[in-house]
Amino acid sequence: MAAQSQYILPNDLPVALLDCEEAFSLLSTEEKLYTHFLSRASFYGGLIVLFQTSPESPAIYILLNRLFRAQEPSVLHGVAQSQGLSDEEYQALLVYTAGFFANMGNYKSFGDTKFVPNLPKEKLEKLLRASEAFTKDPKGMETLWKMVEDRMYSLEPQERQLGLGDHGISTYFSANCTLEDAELIQKFLDSKSISAYNTRLFKTQDKGSRAKYEVRLASVSKEGSADGSSDLSNLLGQFEFEGHEIQVTRGDYYPLLLRVRENLEKAKVYASNENQRKMLEEYGRSFQEGSIQAHKEGSKHWVEDKGPIVESYIGFIESYRDPFGSRGEFEGFVAVVNKSVSARFAQLVSAAEKLIASLPWPSSYEKDSFLRPDFTSLDVVTFSGSGIPAGINIPNYDDIRQSVGFKNVSLGNVLSVSSATEREKLTFLCEGDKDVFNKYRGPSFEVQVGLHELLGHGSGKLFVQDEKGAFNFDKDSVINPETGEHVKSWYKPGETWDSKFSTIASTYEECRAECVGLYLCVNEEVLRIFGHEAQEAQDILYVNWLNMVRAGLMGLEYYTPETGKWRQAHMQARFVILRVLLEAKEDFVTITQKVGADGLPDAQVSLDRTKIMSVGRPAIQQFLQRLQVYKSTADVDSGREMYDGYSKVTDEDPYKFLTLRDIVIKRKEERKLFVQINTRLAGDNVEVLRYDNNPPGMILSVLQRFSNDEEELERSMLELSSSDAFYWEKQDSR
């Protein structure tokens, strides 16, 4: 097949098991039942991601489910051979299916690029028609195939990546929406104090008439009006705004959210305290009504639920994949606390106030009081969504973070398997760095994740004016350290960090948090808390800085020259940091192009460890202050100018980043897929279903998630997908 290599998954794609059996086995029966029902809620909600990714994803999911449900991978292999598929082609189908299930769609969660099956369409169709699934339901399988065959394989320029308008595919918006539409509706939402987190935007326009917009909230309820006691009572219905007709409706994803809410109700029976019960009640109300305010109330109870044995969070959380940066992807996780590792993080929390005070901005730019958060290491039992991070700092609601607090979690069983790489597969490092890098990459990443989440995302203040005109800072005395003048800008009523900084908000904030990690990892007390002293501590901090600049180089994979857009917030942030450190001069960081041992173009990044304190840290200090000042003061113009400048990728001397990008893509590392366990009720207890760490294991784990109601579930999903399909029809005249 002629698919470009960056749009297919290799047959040797690494797959790892998220092992949590020991942690799960130590739970009480009530804790296991609590975990089980929260996992069910998370997995049902995770199916929403299919509808948030691409028009074809729900139908591809159902097609692949039916194919492998009728004949497990080992059985279907024989059918494939009888239809003339080679073993490599069948393996490619297994890899595509595993990758699709892991990403909950046909676009990579990390990088937002499309991936297509690495076998000819004709051979896949031949296998489908010879399968048991087709024999059982020829009409249904034929319909599904016709729905997906073109888009499943299409690599038209606009379909190669997620994006808005001509820049890519997004199902957060109808296909005819533009950046101008997104900006208009954000202004409307701000004026009504409606959060965009659980919304999608659909535009219809007849020829010769003005556009009409539908803002659709995610909820079980589809009613067009809300009870007088609801915060949505005045927010649903028809509105005129700046000459445009806007309708606020609800009911998006309703069959899936119904199952989420039902399982949260079942989990509530086994909650261990009142905070957990109230948290689940408010989450259920949020999903029933479409109320982000209810989700905020639930999040407050979640923050106040200190030190639980079983930790979880669920909802429309991260806005990385919304091209405009305001809408949240559904995510749910359930995990068990690792007490020994969490003890180290508790020490870091105890030292946090002193460490925050050492960050390079005036105290007036820091929160008025430090709200001591939970910081725990967790072994993931369930994580639904498009991908699994190594650490999380939530909730993302600025008002709650500033007034109630937040929690940090480090996902220990994710960290332990994601950072392991064989020495011979390490790219872009000199031979002298490879051993120390391999030895300390895992421990240094644990330090960076801890600092990034707790003191990166957990630091800094937003200057806000509320609805009554009151300020949360002294406007007459606070000085902008970048200008030496009084602060001249702040967040107005209805404005938030995400709505103000929109398209760069996620990557800018990740960059700020990464810089905090680099800035503080040189602190001896921090390294001692994580158990590192003397020469080992020096090696840890060196590898952390080296890992950052190497990641910055590797980040070029996630830049699209054709659109001038970055597709991954963290990797753009790391490239920006690389640029800042290259700008520091004195040969602190160097990038050289060379010929590799295989005779092909290669590159090498080096960092002078003797200059970390004298050159590297001062450069990060200055940059970090600017990041924080622009964020605090809502100075989006200065922030965007600076950040976009460092994000620019050209082929100019001396670095020739576009040429380096070609090298990076040819030598890229594929990210691991994670196979997760399932839990199943067995009488009054809960048992664990474990799977092999390979593509068939990944496939079986997903096939067995919804065995109780899979057919009804699939019918509901097809109805949802079909009812909105016209919004993304190609060549339409809307």
Side-chain angles (χ1 to χ4, degrees):
M1 183 179 153
Q4 298 175 42
S5 62
Q6 68 191 97
Y7 301 109
I8 59 173
L9 301 175
N11 274 8
D12 60 352
L13 185 71
V15 181
L17 175 70
L18 272 187
D19 191 3
C20 63
E21 278 193 84
E22 182 180 352
F24 187 82
S25 69
L26 297 174
L27 298 177
S28 68
T29 300
E30 288 74 17
E31 289 164 346
K32 287 179 180 177
L33 287 163
Y34 183 66
T35 299
H36 169 73
F37 288 116
L38 286 176
S39 294
R40 305 307 303 145
S42 296
F43 278 140
Y44 277 119
L47 295 172
I48 290 172
V49 177
L50 294 163
F51 296 86
Q52 295 179 309
T53 299
S54 70
E56 65 272 18
S57 282
I60 294 175
Y61 173 87
I62 295 168
L63 179 76
L64 295 173
N65 255 276
R66 291 184 181 177
L67 176 66
F68 286 104
R69 196 161 68 227
Q71 292 167 292
E72 289 191 356
S74 58
V75 178
L76 193 63
H77 190 187
V79 180
Q81 288 175 322
S82 72
Q83 297 302 309
L85 273 72
S86 68
D87 288 347
E88 290 75 19
E89 288 169 334
Y90 184 67
Q91 176 68 10
L93 174 61
L94 295 180
V95 165
Y96 175 82
T97 305
F100 184 95
F101 287 160
N103 290 279
M104 269 296 130
N106 57 340
Y107 288 75
K108 293 180 182 179
S109 66
F110 203 87
D112 293 342
T113 48
K114 189 173 187 176
F115 56 95
V116 299
N118 191 23
L119 73 160
K121 185 197 295 188
E122 299 74 24
K123 288 198 172 184
L124 175 55
E125 181 174 1
K126 196 174 181 183
L127 173 60
L128 286 170
R129 294 186 182 281
S131 69
E132 182 67 22
F134 202 94
T135 301
K136 286 181 177 178
D137 182 15
K139 184 179 178 182
M141 290 294 284
E142 179 81 38
T143 299
L144 284 167
W145 176 241
K146 292 302 180 188
M147 288 174 69
V148 305
E149 61 173 328
D150 291 335
R151 283 188 182 268
M152 190 178 189
Y153 276 87
S154 174
L155 284 173
E156 292 294 321
Q158 186 184 356
E159 295 181 46
R160 293 175 188 171
Q161 64 282 316
L162 299 180
L164 184 56
D166 295 336
H167 294 298
I169 293 295
S170 175
T171 44
Y172 287 108
F173 302 87
S174 57
N176 55 357
C177 282
T178 64
L179 179 60
E180 290 72 28
D181 294 319
E183 290 171 341
L184 169 71
I185 297 305
Q186 188 62 58
K187 285 171 65 180
F188 165 75
L189 294 174
D190 288 346
S191 75
K192 296 288 184 183
S193 295
I194 301 175
S195 170
Y197 269 119
N198 65 340
T199 70
R200 291 198 288 173
L201 177 63
F202 303 96
K203 181 172 85 169
T204 54
Q205 187 166 17
D206 298 325
K207 288 181 179 178
S209 67
R210 65 177 181 167
K212 296 179 181 179
Y213 298 94
E214 178 193 359
V215 175
R216 190 187 302 167
L217 309 181
S219 69
V220 178
S221 175
K222 294 190 284 184
E223 294 176 9
S225 59
D227 185 89
S229 62
S230 169
D231 59 285
L232 296 174
S233 59
N234 297 317
L235 300 178
L236 297 173
Q238 203 88 9
F239 300 91
E240 286 283 328
F241 182 77
E242 295 188 358
H244 298 277
E245 185 179 317
I246 301 172
Q247 187 173 19
V248 180
T249 66
R250 59 180 174 175
D252 216 359
Y253 323 121
Y254 69 92
L256 300 176
L257 286 173
L258 175 62
R259 289 168 168 84
V260 173
R261 195 204 67 198
E262 289 172 344
N263 279 281
L264 293 179
E265 285 291 323
K266 292 175 182 177
K268 193 167 67 173
V269 175
Y270 303 101
S272 62
N273 58 56
E274 194 62 19
N275 268 322
Q276 288 181 358
R277 278 185 284 276
K278 288 180 177 177
M279 169 188 83
L280 295 178
E281 274 178 22
E282 293 293 349
Y283 290 164
R285 183 165 74 87
S286 171
F287 300 140
Q288 175 66 34
E289 297 181 10
S291 168
I292 288 296
Q293 188 56 46
H295 196 268
K296 284 186 173 184
E297 293 303 316
S299 297
K300 290 177 185 176
H301 290 297
W302 179 71
V303 172
E304 290 163 355
D305 182 28
K306 304 290 187 183
I309 300 299
V310 178
E311 187 62 280
S312 68
Y313 197 64
I314 190 168
F316 297 88
I317 312 300
E318 302 291 355
S319 58
Y320 300 126
R321 299 183 96 190
D322 169 14
F324 191 68
S326 295
R327 289 154 188 81
E329 182 175 85
F330 196 94
E331 179 180 293
F333 77 83
V334 193
V336 181
V337 172
N338 182 317
K339 292 183 178 179
S340 60
V341 179
S342 296
R344 290 206 296 270
F345 290 144
Q347 292 180 53
L348 189 64
V349 173
S350 296
E353 283 187 85
K354 184 168 69 173
L355 292 169
I356 285 175
S358 72
L359 291 171
W361 49 76
S363 58
S364 54
Y365 284 72
E366 197 47 68
K367 295 181 184 72
D368 299 333
S369 60
F370 179 69
L371 301 166
R372 185 185 177 97
D374 254 13
F375 194 177
T376 49
S377 176
L378 307 175
D379 285 342
V380 172
V381 177
T382 296
F383 204 112
S384 77
S386 64
I388 307 178
I392 318 171
N393 176 286
I394 40 181
N396 286 330
Y397 306 120
D398 294 328
D399 49 347
I400 294 178
R401 296 171 65 81
Q402 303 272 331
S403 61
V404 180
F406 53 89
K407 284 185 179 181
N408 301 272
V409 296
S410 175
L411 304 179
N413 56 346
V414 177
L415 274 169
S416 64
V417 295
S418 63
S419 59
T421 304
E422 298 171 27
R423 187 186 190 280
E424 56 270 23
K425 292 185 178 180
L426 279 176
T427 53
F428 312 127
L429 295 177
C430 71
E431 288 299 314
D433 277 334
K434 287 184 177 180
D435 288 331
V436 70
F437 186 87
N438 237 7
K439 183 176 181 180
Y440 292 115
R441 183 187 191 184
S444 73
F445 193 46
E446 183 185 48
V447 172
Q448 179 68 12
V449 168
L451 295 172
H452 173 115
E453 300 297 345
L454 174 66
L455 303 171
H457 293 314
S459 64
K461 178 177 181 174
L462 302 183
F463 295 158
V464 176
Q465 180 183 23
D466 65 20
E467 294 84 354
K468 298 176 182 177
F471 294 88
N472 70 341
F473 67 104
D474 188 343
K475 193 161 65 78
D476 297 323
S477 66
V478 175
I479 300 295
N480 182 327
E482 289 296 308
T483 64
E485 300 173 352
H486 286 105
V487 169
K488 295 179 179 178
S489 57
W490 47 83
Y491 295 86
K492 308 291 195 307
E495 292 180 343
T496 65
W497 162 249
D498 280 332
S499 71
K500 190 74 176 173
F501 279 70
S502 63
T503 54
I504 65 166
S506 291
T507 181
Y508 188 106
E509 173 60 12
E510 293 305 332
C511 187
R512 195 183 69 87
E514 291 284 47
C515 286
V516 169
L518 284 181
Y519 186 75
L520 291 177
C521 78
V522 304
N523 185 294
E524 290 183 0
E525 182 182 1
V526 167
L527 293 165
R528 196 159 43 245
I529 286 171
F530 282 91
H532 311 301
E533 296 188 73
Q535 184 57 44
E536 181 182 78
Q538 295 304 306
D539 288 341
I540 291 279
L541 79 88
Y542 170 59
V543 168
N544 195 38
W545 280 70
L546 180 62
N547 191 29
M548 186 64 70
V549 294
R550 176 177 180 260
L553 174 62
M554 294 167 67
L556 286 166
E557 175 191 344
Y558 301 94
Y559 175 77
T560 305
E562 293 82 1
T563 63
K565 301 287 184 183
W566 284 87
R567 307 185 313 274
Q568 214 293 320
H570 299 79
M571 299 311 280
Q572 180 180 356
R574 291 158 187 163
F575 177 77
V576 166
I577 292 170
L578 171 63
R579 290 286 309 275
V580 169
L581 294 177
L582 286 168
E583 192 181 73
K585 306 294 186 184
E586 298 189 40
D587 289 332
F588 174 56
V589 174
T590 57
I591 301 175
T592 54
Q593 293 188 34
K594 62 176 189 176
V595 176
D598 55 5
L600 299 174
D602 203 348
Q604 181 177 301
V605 63
S606 302
L607 182 142
D608 188 339
R609 65 187 297 167
T610 67
K611 296 177 181 175
I612 290 175
M613 295 303 293
S614 61
V615 179
R617 196 167 188 251
I620 291 297
Q621 176 176 339
Q622 181 181 23
F623 180 58
L624 185 50
Q625 176 176 279
R626 293 167 71 191
L627 286 170
Q628 182 59 49
V629 168
Y630 299 149
K631 180 181 180 184
S632 290
T633 61
D635 188 354
V636 66
D637 291 337
S638 298
R640 187 179 291 277
E641 181 182 6
M642 176 188 72
Y643 201 78
D644 286 350
Y646 282 121
S647 299
K648 195 174 182 182
V649 179
T650 73
D651 222 23
E652 295 173 5
D653 288 329
Y655 303 113
K656 294 187 175 295
F657 287 121
L658 286 174
T659 300
L660 285 169
R661 178 182 177 274
D662 293 337
I663 295 171
V664 167
I665 287 174
K666 286 184 174 68
R667 297 184 179 275
K668 69 176 182 177
E669 297 177 33
E670 283 295 337
R671 293 173 65 82
K672 292 184 177 74
L673 305 185
F674 294 115
V675 180
Q676 301 182 52
I677 67 161
N678 282 313
T679 56
R680 182 170 65 189
L681 293 177
D684 295 330
N685 213 330
V686 179
E687 62 182 19
V688 169
L689 303 178
R690 181 187 172 103
Y691 305 93
D692 294 335
N693 58 328
N694 55 29
M698 167 68 79
I699 293 167
L700 288 173
S701 73
V702 175
L703 292 179
Q704 294 179 5
R705 280 180 190 170
F706 308 110
S707 54
N708 293 336
D709 64 344
E710 56 201 15
E711 291 185 4
E712 181 188 346
L713 180 64
E714 289 175 4
R715 276 196 301 272
S716 298
M717 290 171 65
L718 273 178
E719 286 174 11
L720 277 182
S721 180
S722 299
S723 65
D724 288 328
F726 71 94
Y727 285 118
W728 297 283
E729 286 173 0
K730 297 181 181 181
Q731 309 284 320
D732 64 40
S733 58
R734 287 190 314 283

